[in-house]
Amino acid sequence: MDAFKSGADALFILLGGIMILAMHAGFAFLELGTVRRKNQVNALVKILIDFAVSTIAYFFVGYGIAYGIHFFSPTDTLVAKNGYELVKFFFLLTFAAAIPAIVSGGIAERAKFHPQMAATALLVGLVYPTFEGIAWNNRFGIQDWLASTFGAPFHDFAGSVVVHAVGGWVALPAVLLLGARRGRYAKDGRIAAHPPSNIPFLALGAWILTVGWFGFNVMSAQTLDKMNGLVAVNSLMALVGGTLTAFVMGKNDPGFVYNGPLAGLVAVCAGSDLMHPLGALATGAVAGAIFVAMFTLAQNRWKIDDVLGVWPLHGLCGAWGGIAAGIFGSHALGGLGGVSIVSQLLGTVLGIVIAGLGGWLVYGVLKATVGLRLDAEQEFDGADLAIHRISATPERETTFQ
């Protein structure tokens, strides 16, 4: 029976990792559809290389920082329990690799390629696992202090704060240090619209992310005996709530409509194992409203050229999710309890501080040393030709007889 359980658990978490790996295709197509046509190839290549660099950084450094575990043991040790510890690493790697995938959408169309690879290694190897270890492995005893002081530790079941808020708040300093795309904001106050290049690909990316998110949330139980359908239904209700509010507030704009479910899912991650489905619906609905309102405000009033809106989508909706777990996860509002709103607030703020400072440090050093952005001519030509020397849809074909 022990062998059967360990095999079932290994398969369970492996399937979760595969579903989240597929979400990286969603990140790629969401970015491809949102950026201008001359930057589509760059989006596709960047997401894949980001994942590869993340794997190396997390395997050799990040996972050890977060959990104190490494894989330099003999192979006959690694295969214990059907290789459960190995596939658990794979599962958690797919979370870690979401950090540069999130950042990628904010800095699209004007960032150099190789400095971003260096940033990925530093973020996934050092910045992300620092907070991951605090939240999910009780590093530095912070969770114990929260539990003894406020009655419950910081609760983040599937990463509203650990993954999404951290990714969004790392991205904000990267976007600010890069500056806006050339021609986006004129000196006389006019704003040049850069509409999505391909709505079908944008929608495809959002659908892939939405479907994969059920692995992201449900499989965060990490063992089969802890799996609960409540997480799946709460994820469903949150994505619906986010979709409908984004649809209404975004006035049926497809860019807002397809980011609505993502906003709801970002927000429900933290408390998806605690909330009543009605609480999840409310959490998602608020997240959809946050995304539309803050994306518009950041782009039009504050002139923050965050191309995919990753700061409002992941940074703000993720922070809301951490707080919402303390509200709708409580017994008073139909949840299972065992959460403290104060712990949720403090844990969320801590994640934002670590991410923000880490982002400023990583991107600030890179900007001062090797530079972050393409030059004016490269940006005009587009990252596809400037970096990869090929466009997504060549203007003509050459044939040789």
Side-chain angles (χ1 to χ4, degrees):
M1 289 301 293
D2 286 343
F4 179 82
K5 182 183 185 309
S6 63
D9 287 342
L11 179 60
F12 175 71
I13 201 169
L14 172 62
L15 293 174
I18 292 169
M19 290 181 72
I20 305 169
L21 176 62
M23 290 176 70
H24 287 267
F27 281 119
F29 280 101
L30 184 69
E31 183 173 336
L32 182 157
T34 305
V35 299
R36 288 172 290 179
R37 191 172 65 176
K38 62 184 179 179
N39 298 296
Q40 291 178 334
V41 172
N42 181 247
L44 292 173
V45 176
K46 190 169 43 170
I47 295 294
L48 178 58
I49 301 301
D50 271 338
F51 187 87
V53 173
S54 296
T55 301
I56 299 299
Y58 200 60
F59 184 90
F60 286 102
V61 182
Y63 198 66
I65 290 175
Y67 300 102
I69 296 173
H70 65 79
F71 298 105
F72 306 124
S73 306
T75 305
D76 54 4
T77 302
L78 298 178
V79 298
K81 298 191 296 182
N82 299 86
Y84 176 81
E85 292 300 327
L86 289 171
V87 290
K88 181 180 177 182
F89 159 78
F90 170 48
F91 178 77
L92 291 170
L93 161 68
T94 58
F95 280 60
I99 302 299
I102 290 167
V103 174
S104 176
I107 64 174
E109 301 203 338
R110 75 273 203 202
K112 288 182 177 179
F113 196 86
H114 293 100
Q116 175 55 21
M117 298 304 100
T120 293
L122 293 169
L123 293 171
V124 176
L126 299 174
V127 177
Y128 169 76
T130 298
F131 186 66
E132 179 188 19
I134 290 171
W136 286 345
N137 195 40
N138 196 26
R139 287 292 201 193
F140 311 118
I142 292 173
Q143 289 283 43
D144 288 339
W145 177 78
L146 289 172
S148 62
T149 307
F150 303 108
F154 171 66
H155 183 89
D156 190 356
F157 179 69
S160 285
V161 179
V162 175
V163 178
H164 297 287
V166 167
W169 285 90
V170 162
L172 181 61
V175 170
L176 294 175
L177 287 166
L178 262 177
R181 289 167 288 178
R182 288 178 174 86
R184 178 77 168 116
Y185 302 110
K187 292 181 180 179
D188 61 6
R190 290 179 299 167
I191 301 174
H194 292 327
S197 61
N198 194 309
I199 294 295
F201 275 140
L202 184 159
L204 174 65
W207 270 114
I208 294 171
L209 285 166
T210 298
V211 172
W213 225 296
F214 285 85
F216 197 101
N217 285 359
V218 174
M219 269 78 164
S220 285
Q222 297 190 13
T223 55
L224 201 55
D225 60 307
K226 295 178 182 176
M227 178 270 172
N228 199 297
L230 176 68
V231 179
V233 172
N234 281 346
S235 301
L236 172 69
M237 297 303 280
L239 80 87
V240 168
T243 301
L244 292 176
T245 52
F247 162 71
V248 173
M249 291 185 61
K251 300 177 182 178
N252 209 2
D253 180 290
F256 285 134
V257 170
Y258 271 99
N259 275 283
L262 307 184
L265 286 162
V266 164
V268 83
C269 288
S272 57
D273 62 328
L274 299 177
M275 298 176 181
H276 187 278
L278 293 178
L281 179 65
T283 297
V286 171
I290 289 172
F291 174 72
V292 175
M294 294 307 296
F295 178 88
T296 305
L297 189 65
Q299 295 277 339
N300 296 343
R301 181 172 298 178
W302 297 338
K303 295 181 171 52
I304 299 174
D305 193 14
D306 176 357
V307 181
L308 268 68
V310 299
W311 176 62
L313 180 62
H314 298 275
L316 297 182
C317 292
W320 157 240
I323 297 166
I327 300 171
F328 295 107
S330 65
H331 278 302
L333 290 176
L336 295 177
V339 286
S340 161
I341 185 63
V342 179
S343 293
Q344 294 306 116
L345 282 166
L346 292 176
T348 299
V349 169
L350 180 61
I352 290 171
V353 169
I354 290 173
L357 290 177
W360 277 110
L361 182 61
V362 168
Y363 285 99
V365 169
L366 287 171
K367 181 177 181 178
T369 53
V370 295
L372 291 176
R373 72 178 293 158
L374 301 172
D375 63 36
E377 184 178 356
Q378 290 173 321
E379 189 176 339
F380 177 80
D381 291 339
D384 292 358
L385 292 177
I387 297 173
H388 309 285
R389 294 181 171 81
I390 192 169
S391 62
T393 51
E395 300 268 331
R396 60 186 179 85
E397 295 182 6
T398 301
T399 58
F400 296 94
Q401 300 297 328

